[in-house]
Amino acid sequence: MRILIADDNSVTRRMLKSFLAKWGYEVITTKDGDEAWEVLKEDDCPDIAILDWVMPGKEGLDVCRMVRAANKPSYIYIIILTSLGNQDDIIAGLQAGADDYVIKPFNYDEFRCRVRIGERIINLEREIMRMAATDGLTGLWNRREFMDKMDAEFKRSQKEGRSLGVILSDIDFFKKINDTYGHQAGDLVLQEFAGCLKYNIRQPGFVGRYGGEEFIAGCPGLTLDGVASLAEHIRNELKSLWIPAPDGSSHIPITASFGVSVFMPGESSDKTIDTIIKRADDALYRAKAECRDRVCRQC
Ligand SMILES: [Mg+2]
């Protein structure tokens, strides 16, 4: 876990850094509030910030307020570490959005416990975020998270003039699989299928569970031919997937249908994510109508 220290006193900075490093943290030091904010405003910033109050430029409490106002996607646990120890100071620090307030001089053993509390809170927060963003059964992104990512990727594609492919897939006769082999086997089929998608659709591609047995993938940079051949590859991979049947003596053969579409840069600006997905959905519908186990494309 990464920790940022902001303190204008070089001795404090060095001491803190050495202790935190010894306790297993990765440490970034800054000597004032402006530098601290430069680091904390980034997306990929440290998880915990230890801020001195009185520093040149922005003070610790200013930085604290700015972090809270920025409403960043992942939480930053903030400890104010200061020699200002009046009741009013403590209240002001906590009101600025600090999670903890430690008065100098301080005891290092106690401070270590307080940092551990921060680490625990950050880990809990991460776990909650992960659970809220993923599908419990398959571990893929859930529909809402997928759509958020798709939205961001679409904006990026428009800005950078890059194509964005979409693959919509649906396991064929899934209800029949459930009826024949039972729901536990059905769940296993979903997991194996999801695993196959995830294995084949690598970064910067991303995959989500769209609905029951329907899955969706975003493929930045791929053309229509590119997404179609990727979908075709996955369709073939499914043939060699060996999913054990509950009786152990056989396996469950599965096939899937795919609909692909693409956003190409330069297309009229009224195209939205919904229209691109709708085209993939139309293509999927055709694949289903044409006896399934195939890839259809929609320009
Ligand atoms: Mg100071």
Side-chain angles (χ1 to χ4, degrees), residues 116-295:
R116 291 277 184 248
I117 293 171
E119 185 178 5
R120 199 164 68 225
I121 299 228
I122 291 294
N123 284 334
L124 282 169
E125 197 260 351
R126 279 185 188 166
E127 182 60 10
I128 290 168
M129 296 292 276
R130 191 194 62 75
M131 285 168 69
T134 53
D135 169 53
L137 182 68
T138 62
L140 297 181
W141 300 121
N142 62 28
R143 183 172 176 145
R144 189 186 49 210
E145 183 69 16
F146 177 88
M147 291 308 287
D148 283 352
K149 288 187 186 304
M150 197 66 184
D151 212 36
E153 203 52 61
F154 182 61
K155 288 191 180 107
R156 199 170 306 144
S157 299
Q158 281 178 312
K159 203 168 123 202
E160 294 173 8
R162 188 169 63 165
S163 61
L164 173 61
V166 173
I167 302 175
L168 206 55
S169 55
D170 188 281
I171 302 172
D172 295 328
F173 302 111
F174 185 69
K175 188 182 177 306
K176 201 172 151 200
I177 294 171
N178 270 328
D179 291 346
T180 310
Y181 302 99
H183 284 89
Q184 277 185 336
D187 284 351
L188 186 59
V189 165
L190 291 170
Q191 287 169 325
E192 291 289 332
F193 184 73
C196 184
L197 288 176
K198 205 169 175 180
Y199 179 78
N200 286 289
I201 299 167
R202 305 285 178 86
Q203 288 269 349
F206 48 102
V207 193
R209 187 171 176 191
Y210 202 52
E213 67 269 27
E214 206 171 341
F215 296 82
I216 187 164
C219 306
L222 289 192
T223 59
L224 190 58
D225 281 346
V227 269
S229 70
L230 177 56
E232 191 62 40
H233 176 75
I234 295 167
R235 190 185 70 80
N236 279 311
E237 288 273 289
L238 294 175
K239 315 276 185 213
S240 53
L241 218 53
W242 204 91
I243 306 171
D247 68 4
S249 65
S250 62
H251 79 285
I252 307 171
I254 63 165
T255 63
S257 303
F258 298 81
V260 301
S261 69
V262 76
F263 161 78
M264 291 300 284
E267 285 191 41
S268 72
S269 57
D270 63 351
K271 292 282 193 320
T272 63
I273 281 299
D274 290 338
T275 60
I276 297 159
I277 293 176
K278 171 75 167 61
R279 280 186 280 159
D281 198 37
D282 290 344
L284 174 61
Y285 185 82
R286 267 197 293 122
K288 287 282 178 191
E290 292 172 15
C291 302
R292 301 175 172 85
D293 189 18
R294 68 191 55 205
V295 178

Side-chain angles (χ1 to χ4, degrees), residues 7-8 52 54-55:
D7 202 305
D8 58 335
D52 181 20
V54 181
M55 295 183 282

Side-chain angles (χ1 to χ4, degrees), residues 78-94:
I78 299 176
I79 302 172
I80 297 288
L81 182 61
T82 176
S83 48
L84 302 179
N86 291 334
Q87 192 70 56
D88 288 347
D89 298 329
I90 298 170
I91 292 168
L94 296 173

